Amino acid sequence: MNNTQKTESLPRACLVLPTYNEAENIEPLIKEIFAAQLNIDTHRLHVIVVDDHSPDGTADIVEQQMKTYPRLHLVSGIKTGLGDAYKRGFSFALETFNPDLLLQMDADGQHDPKLIPQFINLTNKDYDLVIGSRFAVGGIIPNLTIWRRFLAVFGNLLVRFVGGITNIKDCTSGFRCIKADLVPKCNLGVFSTRGYSFQSSLIYELLRNGAKPIEIPIVFETRTKGRSKLSYSDQIEFVFNLTKIAYRNSGEFIKYCCVGMIGVMVNTLAYILFTRYFQFSIEIAPLMSMESAIISNFLLNNYWTFTNRPQKLSFFRKMLNFHLAAGFTGLVFYYLLFLFLTQVLGLNDMFSIIISIFMGTVSNYSINSYWTWSKKINH
Ligand SMILES: Nc1nc2c(ncn2[C@@H]2O[C@H](COP(=O)(O)OP(=O)(O)O)[C@@H](O)[C@H]2O)c(=O)[nH]1
Ligand SMILES: [Mg+2]
């Protein structure tokens, strides 16, 4: 049996490659991906390029290459975001090829195709989800701008500690290999995420459906040519999507937000009481009303939001932590971030205050969840 006949009978692995204006990167990448087939004995590789009518002619190059590579396919659509592109690519792969594995990868040279055989090998060893991880021990992100590095690190911390996916270090990586039978269970059709936050939603859904994950350290190179397509709307969608993941993972975050809203009412009522009834001065009254709200928030969180958690710290230690967390997030998010957004970035003050309150709530929740009411046992 020659090599071609041998691979014909193998189960299929479909690599879904989303592209938007990747004309300068796509040709060498496809060559490298198919070269990796030589080191894969167990699966037959198909590559599905999902292109959204890139104005730079990416699709034309792919069509040219399809003449050389019979297992190269093109799915074209209207640009509505990275998540939508993946959904389209996955559906096409599942319906057309009935694959054993689905792979995800960026088309800009940031992911090394030479790792594909290793990813596939690990699924042969009983792992359902192999993640090319920038944050596993040995993972490196050289030459990334400080802003992009911050987004990658902070975004992951949020997914992990707000979303509750604590066992995965890189929840937003776009380099993965997944056992295909898990994907239909994830119900991609009802994912509301259209952009980059698809990646974290997918991880959450896969784990919820019992996927056994493993992370492989990768070197996340800078893109070979062209510009990143990550937009501000992707970043905003990402943050809002976190609350959904957090809520679906547990109702604690929602309870925490309700407590926060009750806190605003307590703050206001206490202020009215201290100034109008007890006649305190307006220098003192705001501090007293703020402290009343902090104490009422603490008690509600202790006896309602986190009541089912094993109690690790003493009541007073939790109270102290809660105050420190409130001071920290108050200063960093409600004040410094607000100043940064309005004064440095020149954004509208109402938009900035909403972002600051949102980021402050999310961070405050994370700190209290993982410090004040930590689930971990003290050794
Ligand atoms: N089809 C499609 N591909 C996209 C879209 N947005 C990004 N991509 C592709 O998704 C991959 C990751 O995007 P990239 O801009 O490199 O994101 P970054 O690595 O986070 O900066 C690249 O291959 C992009 O061409 C989109 O809306 N549609
Ligand atoms: Mg990229």
Side-chain angles (χ1 to χ4, degrees), residues 221-222 355:
E221 295 290 354
T222 32
I355 298 274

Side-chain angles (χ1 to χ4, degrees), residues 206-224:
L206 288 167
L207 296 178
R208 197 173 65 84
N209 282 293
K212 184 176 165 196
I214 183 167
E215 288 184 81
I216 300 299
I218 58 165
V219 178
F220 188 61
E221 295 290 354
T222 32
R223 60 166 39 246
T224 316

Side-chain angles (χ1 to χ4, degrees), residues 314-328:
S314 73
F315 182 84
F316 288 105
R317 186 55 218 272
K318 282 187 282 189
M319 175 93 90
L320 175 68
N321 287 9
F322 193 75
H323 274 79
L324 293 174
F328 173 78

Side-chain angles (χ1 to χ4, degrees), residues 22 106-108 110-111 148 196 220 223 228:
E22 301 292 359
D106 284 8
D108 56 0
Q110 290 196 277
H111 297 140
R148 284 306 306 263
Y196 282 57
F220 188 61
R223 60 166 39 246
S228 170

Side-chain angles (χ1 to χ4, degrees), residues 139-345:
I140 310 172
I141 319 181
N143 310 321
L144 209 67
T145 61
I146 292 178
W147 175 241
R148 284 306 306 263
R149 195 180 292 266
F150 167 79
L151 282 183
V153 172
F154 191 62
N156 257 290
L157 287 176
L158 288 177
V159 180
R160 293 182 66 196
F161 295 111
V162 178
I165 308 176
T166 45
N167 54 335
I168 303 290
K169 294 200 172 71
D170 197 341
C171 301
T172 54
S173 165
F175 197 10
R176 300 170 180 161
C177 182
I178 306 161
K179 284 266 173 70
D181 58 348
L182 281 171
V183 173
K185 294 184 191 159
C186 295
N187 214 352
L188 299 186
V190 299
F191 269 30
S192 56
T193 45
R194 310 193 76 174
Y196 282 57
S197 46
F198 170 83
Q199 304 287 27
S200 37
S201 290
L202 182 62
I203 285 273
Y204 166 72
E205 283 289 325
L206 288 167
L207 296 178
R208 197 173 65 84
N209 282 293
K212 184 176 165 196
I214 183 167
E215 288 184 81
I216 300 299
I218 58 165
V219 178
F220 188 61
E221 295 290 354
T222 32
R223 60 166 39 246
T224 316
K225 300 254 172 65
R227 291 214 333 250
S228 170
K229 316 303 174 316
L230 181 71
S231 64
Y232 282 121
S233 64
D234 277 314
Q235 291 167 44
I236 291 170
E237 185 192 54
F238 176 84
V239 174
F240 279 98
N241 186 44
L242 274 175
T243 53
K244 285 190 218 153
I245 295 179
Y247 177 66
R248 293 186 69 186
N249 241 347
S250 89
E252 285 175 348
F253 182 69
I254 295 302
K255 287 184 181 174
Y256 195 83
C257 291
C258 292
V259 170
M261 282 187 247
I262 294 170
V264 174
M265 285 189 265
V266 171
N267 201 337
T268 316
L269 290 176
Y271 180 79
I272 293 170
L273 191 74
F274 289 135
T275 52
R276 306 297 190 273
Y277 186 76
F278 291 111
Q279 310 282 316
F280 281 101
S281 72
I282 58 164
E283 283 80 30
I284 302 286
L287 292 176
M288 292 172 65
S289 49
M290 198 164 62
E291 182 58 21
S292 312
I294 291 178
I295 290 175
S296 105
N297 281 3
F298 172 76
L299 293 174
L300 283 169
N301 282 321
N302 198 49
Y303 294 112
W304 183 48
T305 314
F306 298 114
T307 187
N308 294 326
R309 295 204 179 182
Q311 302 295 310
K312 186 181 128 187
L313 300 178
S314 73
F315 182 84
F316 288 105
R317 186 55 218 272
K318 282 187 282 189
M319 175 93 90
L320 175 68
N321 287 9
F322 193 75
H323 274 79
L324 293 174
F328 173 78
T329 46
L331 179 69
V332 172
F333 289 97
Y334 301 136
Y335 187 61
L336 293 180
L337 179 66
F338 176 73
L339 283 189
F340 176 75
L341 294 175
T342 50
Q343 308 297 313
V344 180
L345 298 187

